[in-house]
Amino acid sequence: LQESYDIVIIGGGGAGMTAALEAKAAGMNPVIFEKMEAAGGNTLKSSSGMNASETKFQKEQGIEDSNDLFFDETLKGGHDTNNQEMLRYFVDNSASAIDWLDSQGITLDNITITGGMKEKRTHRPTDGSAVGQYLVSGLVADVQEQGIPLFVNADVKEITQENGQANGVKVVFDGSDEKTISAGAVIVATGGFGANQELIKQYRPDLEGYVTTNQPGSTGDGITMIEALGGTTVDMDQIQVHPTVNQEKSYLIGEVVRGEGGILVDKEGNRFVNEMDTRDNVTAAITKLDNRESYLIFDSGVKSRAKAIEQYDKMGLVQTGETIEALAEQIGLPADGLKSTLDTWNASVAAKKDAAFGRETGMDNDLSGAPYYAVKIGPGIHYTMGGVKINTETEVLNASGEAIPGLYAAGEVTGGLHGQNRIGGNSVAEIVIFGREAGVKAAEFVKANQ
Ligand code: ADP
């Protein structure tokens, strides 16, 4: 540990490690402080993938997409409340972010689709597995290879400043050893506040008692520390409730299961929603059911295409039936109801028309390959769309819209990009795109002030 670094990065999730790699590439000497026992944050738990448009992998696979379409669909998903300048920067820099990851040995060339999107642009690891573990282990390896120091059990309590400029942090190591570390610039990449029940209750009393999919370190520290320096926030009450969370283990069942063909049924075995609608709409439909309870139903084809299911299976969340009737019996649904729902659904897939709910995507394959599977799900707190306000250079802004010198932020700690509803696959894209920008801009700031 040194007393001083060019750049201190608070938080060792996807945004923090990405920023560190870019800062290092710009000739800086950065350090990462992570308060938990290991790096990864919520990034480690992300499943769907990384959205990006006009990528080389889409082109190779004949997927026609455009940055404008990505922009429009994200804006529509966010109910026209997204910060459009941020969104424009985001879509225009998404393909280069995929290339940059590839150049770092992190290849996302298996492409799927998530709710609210009309094109396949959700990039996953080659084997179709969950993106989080692959991304985090790749970034950790790169950070090590670059010799960037990453301290765990390093809980940052305060960002220090002099003459209005951020110039270091106070950090507590192993719960007791407090040190003040100085820096030419500070990047805040502390993630969201989805595990902070007090803050959730303060902004959204209606969500009291909901399970959370967040790792315990997602407590919004960065927001509090930035507010203490005069930084401002946006959309703090915009909290995403994910529709498909296993309630017993608070474990998120990724959208990929629906994207690859899964359907949702109620306790009568009937479909009740377009499963590929945006997260807020699917959540609203589940919330209306008895006990907010639903079943995600899929077949062996979906299971082989959505590798994330292996993990759900290992955790004991997946129930199996050799026939639809056997599955229905296992989970206590009426067999006739489930059977007729699947027959109707398979006919809809064949006709490429879902007369009941207007679903248009995740219909490449029907559900006819035994065995059949079910996971019981309900809604859970997943993501905090609000956070500190930044500009496209990732500078942290005060209430008058001026940048606080030397202070940068990226990732879930920031607000504005997603508006009132985040599209699945956009948070991984956000941490890479804006994490990179934070590393580059903080390095420029440090060099200009040397
Ligand atoms: P993002 O996706 O934006 O990178 P993550 O949740 O993946 O967000 O990562 C944020 C990381 O920051 C987590 O690993 C979290 O434990 C860490 N963190 C949060 N607060 C602090 C803090 N006060 N000091 C150090 N690390 C922190």
Side-chain angles (χ1 to χ4, degrees):
L1 181 72
Q2 298 169 201
E3 278 173 14
S4 172
Y5 292 87
D6 291 331
I7 300 174
V8 164
I9 296 159
I10 316 174
M17 289 192 284
T18 302
L21 288 167
E22 285 287 26
K24 183 78 181 186
M28 294 285 109
N29 168 24
V31 64
I32 306 172
F33 292 132
E34 164 57 51
K35 76 170 173 180
M36 303 302 284
E37 277 173 16
N42 270 351
T43 304
L44 190 61
K45 293 184 143 201
S46 62
S47 58
S48 303
M50 168 167 162
N51 289 339
S53 48
E54 302 186 20
T55 69
K56 62 176 177 190
F57 298 128
Q58 283 179 315
K59 284 174 195 156
E60 277 167 22
Q61 295 169 37
I63 299 165
E64 278 180 37
D65 195 10
S66 74
N67 294 349
D68 288 344
L69 189 64
F70 186 17
F71 181 98
D72 291 345
E73 290 182 354
T74 301
L75 188 61
K76 184 161 178 257
H79 310 304
D80 279 309
T81 59
N82 315 56
N83 176 324
Q84 296 200 22
E85 224 178 302
M86 298 278 296
L87 180 54
R88 190 74 244 174
Y89 181 90
F90 171 77
V91 299
D92 288 347
N93 288 279
S94 62
S96 55
I98 289 282
D99 290 342
W100 178 79
L101 283 176
D102 196 28
S103 76
Q104 306 289 310
I106 299 167
T107 302
L108 301 176
D109 59 356
N110 179 325
I111 311 175
T112 185
I113 195 162
T114 61
M117 294 274 160
K118 291 218 164 65
E119 284 303 334
K120 287 193 178 175
R121 64 168 73 96
T122 309
H123 294 64
R124 306 180 283 188
T126 308
D127 66 359
S129 60
V131 72
Q133 279 164 1
Y134 175 72
L135 178 63
V136 167
S137 57
L139 289 173
V140 168
D142 292 341
V143 161
Q144 279 171 350
E145 197 182 298
Q146 293 301 319
I148 300 168
L150 189 164
F151 291 88
V152 294
N153 296 314
D155 190 355
V156 175
K157 298 291 189 191
E158 189 184 324
I159 300 165
T160 58
Q161 64 174 338
E162 200 183 343
N163 302 326
Q165 179 178 325
N167 71 348
V169 296
K170 287 190 177 154
V171 48
V172 175
F173 294 94
D174 302 314
S176 58
D177 181 16
E178 182 171 311
K179 295 239 155 56
T180 300
I181 307 292
S182 67
V186 175
I187 299 174
V188 182
T190 47
F193 60 95
N196 187 331
Q197 285 191 0
E198 283 305 307
L199 271 188
I200 299 269
K201 208 163 79 184
Q202 182 184 329
Y203 289 103
R204 287 289 300 278
D206 59 309
L207 295 181
E208 200 180 346
Y210 274 63
V211 301
T212 180
T213 64
N214 283 229
Q215 66 107 7
S218 296
T219 46
D221 305 4
I223 298 172
T224 323
M225 290 191 278
I226 284 175
E227 280 179 325
L229 265 59
T232 194
T233 57
V234 284
D235 296 340
M236 287 294 283
D237 58 345
Q238 297 302 327
I239 293 169
Q240 181 162 69
V241 177
H242 195 287
T244 60
V245 177
N246 175 270
Q247 305 287 297
E248 285 72 32
K249 303 230 161 119
S250 298
Y251 201 80
L252 184 136
I253 308 300
E255 223 151 307
V256 61
V257 183
R258 285 170 280 147
E260 292 295 345
I263 59 169
L264 290 168
V265 301
D266 61 18
K267 67 177 191 330
E268 304 304 325
N270 296 320
R271 286 179 68 223
F272 56 91
V273 70
N274 165 8
E275 295 86 351
M276 295 303 288
D277 204 339
T278 49
R279 289 177 173 177
D280 53 347
N281 288 336
V282 179
T283 295
I286 296 174
T287 304
K288 286 194 200 120
L289 303 175
D290 279 356
N291 297 326
R292 305 195 294 246
E293 221 176 84
S294 162
Y295 292 87
L296 183 58
I297 307 288
F298 52 95
D299 72 346
S300 57
V302 174
K303 190 164 186 250
S304 67
R305 292 188 298 276
K307 289 284 181 308
I309 295 172
E310 281 171 22
Q311 175 63 23
Y312 313 150
D313 210 4
K314 268 191 221 148
M315 295 176 69
L317 307 179
V318 182
Q319 285 175 287
T320 310
E322 286 307 321
T323 61
I324 296 165
E325 290 82 355
L327 180 69
E329 194 176 324
Q330 273 260 344
I331 57 182
L333 300 190
D336 297 354
L338 190 61
K339 177 84 175 75
S340 92
T341 295
L342 276 159
D343 288 344
T344 308
W345 172 247
N346 288 341
S348 303
V349 171
K352 297 197 185 318
K353 189 172 168 53
D354 171 25
F357 299 101
R359 173 164 165 178
E360 290 175 345
T361 57
M363 295 175 77
D364 292 348
N365 302 88
D366 70 5
L367 297 176
S368 60
Y372 295 89
Y373 303 95
V375 179
K376 192 174 173 187
I377 56 92
I381 291 167
H382 181 50
Y383 187 88
T384 48
M385 286 159 295
V388 299
K389 191 164 184 191
I390 58 167
N391 58 22
T392 55
E393 306 204 335
T394 68
E395 295 172 316
V396 174
L397 305 178
N398 66 19
S400 337
E402 294 150 352
I404 299 173
L407 189 58
Y408 298 81
E412 194 177 348
V413 68
T414 67
L417 176 70
H418 309 291
Q420 293 175 353
N421 176 62
R422 181 177 67 82
I423 297 285
N426 274 1
S427 61
V428 172
E430 175 181 30
I431 63 183
V432 180
I433 293 163
F434 289 102
R436 292 185 69 198
E437 178 76 346
V440 169
K441 292 297 164 187
E444 281 173 12
F445 180 85
V446 172
K447 284 183 199 164
N449 286 281
Q450 263 166 357

